[in-house]
Amino acid sequence: MDWLFSFPHMDETSLRELKKVIDESFRGFTREYGAGLETLFQPLQHFLIWSERFMTKTPWPIILLLIAALAWFASRNWKIVVGAVVTLLLIGYFDMWDDTMKTVSMIFVCTVMSIVIGIPIGIAISRSDRIEKIINPMLDVMQTMPSFVYLIPVVMLLGIGKVPGLIAVVIYAIPPMIRLTNLGIRLVDRDVLEAADAFGSSNWQKLKNVQMPLALPTIMAGINQTIMMALAMVVIASMIGVQGLVQPVLKAISNQYFTLGVFNGLAIVGIAIIFDRVSQAFGSRLQKHREAAHG
């Protein structure tokens, strides 16, 4: 009756050999194509370095004014603007300005990459049920895979540094962008599409002038979720060299510095709230504009 309490499984030797074959294949791929992949991602590295230098080398009052202007443009809500400015002033007062700017630059680059990659994929999925059936299981895996697992292949391929961390963050954060782009386009009223067809619109004109504008509030919700997931993953990516507010948190854990960890953790929370409130307000404005335009 032992078989009732011991699940049937592959014998240990075969399982060990299978894992060894997979590991050796991946190592071989890394040795063969690792250098080429590093060259491929160099523009991304330059973009990240430029963004970080801009955020850290620009005088802080200018950065503060830029963020306040962006918050006002997106929300048209002075309470959100004041809240963002006060939060950043407190972060700076407690000597976390440079680390905060590094984290903001990383989130900015990750969000841009997620938008550039995610929206075209979402559009492609929305146009084909067959592609959707292929991509959706991949997105399910990407969203349920433990975040630490993403670090393993990128470190083996590219080593430790900012770019591997950036790639891991983008992979983790991009699924909401793809899903909500697909959803937003599919939810466009068929009567509106039929009217566009009646006026002789091409597929490109219909996408650019009808589907994308009407789907924009849903796409903005995807951007909001992408930003939140990127912030969550940046904390994990600090283990492979991503700089910013998260490295002091790791230092606090290692050395039991309670105050250091709490202060930097609260700074991350403050950034997350700013991003969340501004992006949500912008999405709400777009939704109201859409409702006003279409009765």
Side-chain angles (χ1 to χ4, degrees), residues 1 3 5 21 27 30 39 94 98 110 134 141 149 182 217 261:
M1 298 293 288
W3 63 273
F5 301 95
V21 168
R27 290 192 186 99
T30 301
T39 303
F94 285 101
D98 284 346
C110 290
I134 295 171
V141 171
V149 177
N182 172 38

Side-chain angles (χ1 to χ4, degrees), residues 17-34 156-157:
E17 288 299 320
L18 176 62
K19 292 178 179 178
K20 184 177 178 180
V21 168
I22 295 173
D23 287 342
E24 288 299 325
S25 299
F26 192 78
R27 290 192 186 99
F29 178 84
T30 301
R31 287 191 294 267
E32 185 72 22
Y33 300 104
M156 291 183 69
L157 284 170

Side-chain angles (χ1 to χ4, degrees), residues 103 106-107 145-152 154-155 160-161 164-166 168-169 172 228-243 245-247 249-250 253 268:
T103 300
M106 172 63 78
I107 299 303
M145 183 76 72
S147 52
F148 285 97
V149 177
Y150 288 111
L151 304 182
I152 299 170
V154 295
V155 169
I160 292 176
L166 175 65
V169 172
Y172 182 79
M228 294 299 104
M229 293 185 71
L231 267 169
M233 186 61 187
V234 160
V235 177
I236 307 300
S238 65
M239 298 177 65
I240 59 171
V242 173
Q243 296 178 343
L245 290 167
V246 289
Q247 284 196 332
V249 174
L250 288 179
I253 293 172
I268 294 171

Side-chain angles (χ1 to χ4, degrees), residues 213-287:
L214 293 178
L216 202 54
T218 306
I219 293 172
M220 280 302 305
I223 294 174
N224 174 270
Q225 291 302 306
T226 294
I227 292 171
M228 294 299 104
M229 293 185 71
L231 267 169
M233 186 61 187
V234 160
V235 177
I236 307 300
S238 65
M239 298 177 65
I240 59 171
V242 173
Q243 296 178 343
L245 290 167
V246 289
Q247 284 196 332
V249 174
L250 288 179
K251 182 180 178 182
I253 293 172
S254 302
N255 298 280
Q256 299 182 6
Y257 295 152
F258 175 77
T259 307
L260 178 66
V262 169
F263 277 15
N264 282 270
L266 288 174
I268 294 171
V269 171
I271 294 173
I273 291 173
I274 292 172
F275 278 125
D276 180 65
R277 295 296 184 270
V278 171
S279 57
Q280 278 193 7
F282 188 51
S284 298
R285 283 186 58 224
L286 290 175
Q287 185 67 37

Side-chain angles (χ1 to χ4, degrees), residues 14-260:
S14 299
L15 183 59
R16 185 166 53 250
E17 288 299 320
L18 176 62
K19 292 178 179 178
K20 184 177 178 180
V21 168
I22 295 173
D23 287 342
E24 288 299 325
S25 299
F26 192 78
R27 290 192 186 99
F29 178 84
T30 301
R31 287 191 294 267
E32 185 72 22
Y33 300 104
L37 287 173
E38 287 183 7
T39 303
L40 179 66
F41 289 118
Q42 275 186 354
L44 186 59
Q45 183 179 19
H46 295 325
F47 182 30
L48 180 58
I49 291 172
W50 173 85
S51 174
E52 187 174 303
R53 285 178 178 171
F54 175 79
M55 297 299 293
T56 56
K57 301 302 182 183
T58 304
W60 68 265
I62 295 177
I63 294 294
L64 205 61
L65 287 173
L66 284 174
I67 293 175
L70 287 172
W72 173 255
F73 171 78
S75 66
R76 294 294 196 275
N77 187 326
W78 65 268
K79 292 182 181 179
I80 292 177
V81 176
V82 171
V85 170
V86 170
T87 299
L88 291 172
L89 287 173
L90 286 172
I91 288 172
Y93 184 73
F94 285 101
D95 196 26
M96 295 181 287
W97 182 263
D98 284 346
D99 285 340
T100 300
M101 292 302 102
K102 290 176 182 178
T103 300
V104 170
S105 67
M106 172 63 78
I107 299 303
F108 168 72
V109 174
C110 290
T111 304
V112 169
M113 292 301 301
S114 297
I115 292 171
V116 169
I117 298 171
I119 288 181
I121 296 175
I123 292 171
I125 293 174
S126 70
R127 291 181 172 275
S128 172
D129 292 337
R130 181 176 298 177
I131 296 177
E132 184 181 38
K133 290 178 181 178
I134 295 171
I135 298 294
N136 271 343
M138 298 181 186
L139 297 177
D140 292 338
V141 171
M142 291 167 68
Q143 288 189 289
T144 54
M145 183 76 72
S147 52
F148 285 97
V149 177
Y150 288 111
L151 304 182
I152 299 170
V154 295
V155 169
M156 291 183 69
L157 284 170
L158 301 171
I160 292 176
K162 296 178 182 178
V163 173
L166 175 65
I167 294 170
V169 172
V170 170
I171 294 172
Y172 182 79
I174 200 173
M177 190 74 260
I178 298 173
R179 287 189 186 278
L180 288 171
T181 300
N182 172 38
L183 179 65
I185 292 176
R186 285 180 179 270
L187 288 178
V188 173
D189 195 334
R190 291 187 178 275
D191 292 338
V192 177
L193 297 178
E194 289 174 2
D197 289 331
F199 280 100
S201 298
S202 64
N203 287 334
W204 168 247
Q205 289 174 328
K206 191 162 57 176
L207 175 66
K208 180 172 68 75
N209 298 323
V210 179
Q211 290 174 303
M212 289 300 291
L214 293 178
L216 202 54
T218 306
I219 293 172
M220 280 302 305
I223 294 174
N224 174 270
Q225 291 302 306
T226 294
I227 292 171
M228 294 299 104
M229 293 185 71
L231 267 169
M233 186 61 187
V234 160
V235 177
I236 307 300
S238 65
M239 298 177 65
I240 59 171
V242 173
Q243 296 178 343
L245 290 167
V246 289
Q247 284 196 332
V249 174
L250 288 179
K251 182 180 178 182
I253 293 172
S254 302
N255 298 280
Q256 299 182 6
Y257 295 152
F258 175 77
T259 307
L260 178 66

